Amino acid sequence: MQAPKRRTSRSKRNKRRAHDALTPVNPVSCSNCGEPALPHRVCRHCGTYRGREMAAARE
Ligand SMILES: [Zn+2]
């Protein structure tokens, strides 16, 4: 097994992790039921998207 010759410095490690931050979700309220939902996706609460019901979304 290969082993690293040198320990990664704090600076190098932190620079690598500089791009690791997650972006927060952007909740929008559903135009049909008003529940918070993800934009550009079928509402998980009422199963509609842009005013039309999506049959596959029913549980
Ligand atoms: Zn809804």
Side-chain angles (χ1 to χ4, degrees):
M1 261 289 267
Q2 302 294 306
K5 190 164 189 175
R6 284 178 212 292
R7 173 194 179 114
T8 306
S9 67
R10 268 181 284 179
S11 172
K12 186 75 181 166
R13 180 199 63 199
N14 291 345
K15 280 181 192 170
R16 181 175 66 236
R17 293 179 185 174
H19 300 281
D20 288 359
L22 296 170
T23 54
V25 293
N26 178 33
V28 296
S29 58
C30 174
S31 57
N32 187 58
C33 67
E35 288 288 312
L38 293 170
H40 304 286
R41 255 147 286 189
V42 175
C43 176
R44 305 254 306 162
H45 186 76
C46 63
T48 61
Y49 181 65
R50 296 188 62 166
R52 290 195 296 146
E53 189 160 333
M54 302 290 155
R58 287 218 200 123
E59 287 166 38

